[in-house]
């Protein structure tokens, strides 16, 4: 959390520059659609001079950081923020000393950290309960089998080639979803089949892919303890999330003339 709030002086100054520029010449946040379309096409001349364009670019950068803060539940008062920046920029007297500012920021960071921890715990509890209910219902469906570890799987196409061991390198096509249907990763979106050592992915994958033969296809229903557990992964896989993967085993063994590699995304990598 702390790194989110470490805003450099240059970036903060850029925010002020954009604010001052906006008052004079730059288009407001509610700019018309034609102007937005022009920017999308790479035409930055409407923003103004090179200095103004650079100011806008830096403003976008700090805006993204502030948006990220907001999405994580740490909103700020932009009016007060801009007021303070304008005062510093103009050399006017400010309302708190550097020591007071540090104390305020430390308190703010501690409060946000506490909020984040509580939200993580609440999400972990809710996801665990939802996942357990999903797996209980899913286990009774036709064709779904459950292994001793709790992994559920359904073979949708029998393969006829080689069957891998945990020490093999495999090439697969896959799509990963949350139990609500949200797709968080796929080999197609990443440019094609993924190749990686089977021992270096999440336990649900290591176990599940060994159940297939080359050419085989299956759906894996992976409980959180065989996936990312309470830590979650990335922006979409929350703590204690149950995952669903459609997987096709394309090949066992390293591809010819190509080194083994990890999947482009981190979503199936092993949790240490």
């Amino acid at each position: 959390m702390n790194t989110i709030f470490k805003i450099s002086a240059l970036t903060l100054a850029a925010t002020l520059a954009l604010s001052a520029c906006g008052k004079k010449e730059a288009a407001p946040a509610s700019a018309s659609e034609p102007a937005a379309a022009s920017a999308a096409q790479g035409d930055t001349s409407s923003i103004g001079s090179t200095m103004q364009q650079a100011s806008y670019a830096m403003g976008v950068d700090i805006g993204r950081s502030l948006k990220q803060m907001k999405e994580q539940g740490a909103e700020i008062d932009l009016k007060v923020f801009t007021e303070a920046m304008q005062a510093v920029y103009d050399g006017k007297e400010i309302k708190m000393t550097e020591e007071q500012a540090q104390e305020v920021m430390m308190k703010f960071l501690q409060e946000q950290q506490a909020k984040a921890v509580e939200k993580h715990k609440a999400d972990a509890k809710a996801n665990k309960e939802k996942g357990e209910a999903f797996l209980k219902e899913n286990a009774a469906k036709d064709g779904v089998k459950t292994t001793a570890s709790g992994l559920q799987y359904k073979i949708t196409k029998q393969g006829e080639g080689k069957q891998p061991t945990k020490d093999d390198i495999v090439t697969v096509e896959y799509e990963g979803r949350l139990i609500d249907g949200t797709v968080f990763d796929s080999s197609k979106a990443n440019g094609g089949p993924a190749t990686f050592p089977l021992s270096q992915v999440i336990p649900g994958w290591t176990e599940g892919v060994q159940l297939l033969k080359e050419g085989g296809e299956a759906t894996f229903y992976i409980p959180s303890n065989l996936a990312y557990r309470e830590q979650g992964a990335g922006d979409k896989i929350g703590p204690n999330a149950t995952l669903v993967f459609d997987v096709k085993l394309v090949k066992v063994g390293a591809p010819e003339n190509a080194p083994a590699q990890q999947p482009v995304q981190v979503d199936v990598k092993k949790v240490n």
Side-chain angles (χ1 to χ4, degrees), residues 50-67:
T50 301
M51 179 274 289
Q52 290 172 324
Q53 292 174 27
S55 299
Y56 191 92
M58 287 185 282
V60 168
D61 184 55
I62 188 61
R64 289 193 179 113
S65 295
L66 296 178
K67 183 174 183 290

Side-chain angles (χ1 to χ4, degrees), residues 68 71-72 119 123 178 182 184 231-239 265-267:
Q68 184 180 12
E71 290 171 347
Q72 295 184 352
K119 184 178 186 303
D123 289 347
L178 303 179
T182 300
F184 57 82
Q231 72 186 61
D235 296 329
K236 294 184 179 180
I237 302 177
Q265 298 294 315
V266 300
D267 295 314

Side-chain angles (χ1 to χ4, degrees), residues 2-271:
N2 291 7
T3 56
I4 297 175
F5 301 97
K6 292 180 180 178
I7 305 173
S8 70
L10 175 60
T11 310
L12 289 175
T15 304
L16 178 59
L18 176 57
S19 176
C21 188
K23 293 176 183 177
K24 297 178 181 179
E25 300 177 30
S30 58
S32 64
E33 291 184 4
S38 177
Q41 295 172 1
D43 180 10
T44 59
S45 61
S46 61
I47 297 173
S49 67
T50 301
M51 179 274 289
Q52 290 172 324
Q53 292 174 27
S55 299
Y56 191 92
M58 287 185 282
V60 168
D61 184 55
I62 188 61
R64 289 193 179 113
S65 295
L66 296 178
K67 183 174 183 290
Q68 184 180 12
M69 288 170 55
K70 181 179 179 180
E71 290 171 347
Q72 295 184 352
E75 294 190 61
I76 69 167
D77 188 320
L78 285 175
K79 181 178 179 180
V80 175
F81 176 84
T82 305
E83 177 187 340
M85 286 303 306
Q86 188 75 53
V88 173
Y89 187 78
D90 292 342
K92 296 180 180 179
E93 183 178 356
I94 57 176
K95 299 178 181 179
M96 64 174 65
T97 65
E98 183 176 347
E99 291 74 17
Q100 289 173 325
Q102 291 176 349
E103 290 176 4
V104 168
M105 284 304 299
M106 182 60 67
K107 181 180 179 181
F108 180 69
L109 291 172
Q110 290 172 346
E111 290 176 351
Q112 299 310 313
Q113 183 66 31
K115 287 171 60 177
V117 169
E118 288 305 311
K119 184 178 186 303
H120 186 87
K121 289 180 179 179
D123 289 347
K125 183 176 184 295
N127 288 339
K128 185 176 180 64
E129 292 173 350
K130 291 177 183 178
E132 289 174 347
F134 171 85
L135 292 170
K136 182 178 180 180
E137 180 180 350
N138 191 64
K141 293 183 178 180
D142 290 342
V144 175
K145 298 180 180 180
T146 305
T147 70
S149 71
L151 172 70
Q152 294 182 1
Y153 69 97
K154 180 178 181 179
I155 302 294
T156 53
K157 179 180 179 181
Q158 293 289 348
E160 298 180 352
K162 184 178 179 181
Q163 189 166 357
T165 69
K166 65 180 180 61
D167 298 318
D168 280 318
I169 292 171
V170 296
T171 298
V172 299
E173 296 175 358
Y174 68 92
E175 178 182 89
R177 304 184 300 278
L178 303 179
I179 58 175
D180 66 1
T182 300
V183 176
F184 57 82
D185 190 20
S186 73
S187 56
K188 182 178 181 180
N190 296 332
T195 300
F196 50 85
L198 195 51
S199 62
Q200 295 184 17
V201 289
I202 56 176
W205 264 69
T206 301
E207 179 181 1
V209 176
Q210 290 182 77
L211 302 172
L212 300 175
K213 295 180 179 179
E214 288 178 330
E217 300 179 25
T219 299
F220 301 147
Y221 309 91
I222 305 179
S224 61
N225 65 302
L226 299 179
Y228 292 98
R229 304 193 291 273
E230 193 170 340
Q231 72 186 61
D235 296 329
K236 294 184 179 180
I237 302 177
N240 284 338
T242 295
L243 308 180
V244 180
F245 283 94
D246 292 328
V247 179
K248 176 180 179 179
L249 178 58
V250 178
K251 178 179 175 59
V252 177
E256 296 179 5
N257 302 319
Q261 59 186 10
Q262 290 291 329
V264 176
Q265 298 294 315
V266 300
D267 295 314
V268 296
K269 284 187 178 179
K270 186 176 181 179
V271 178

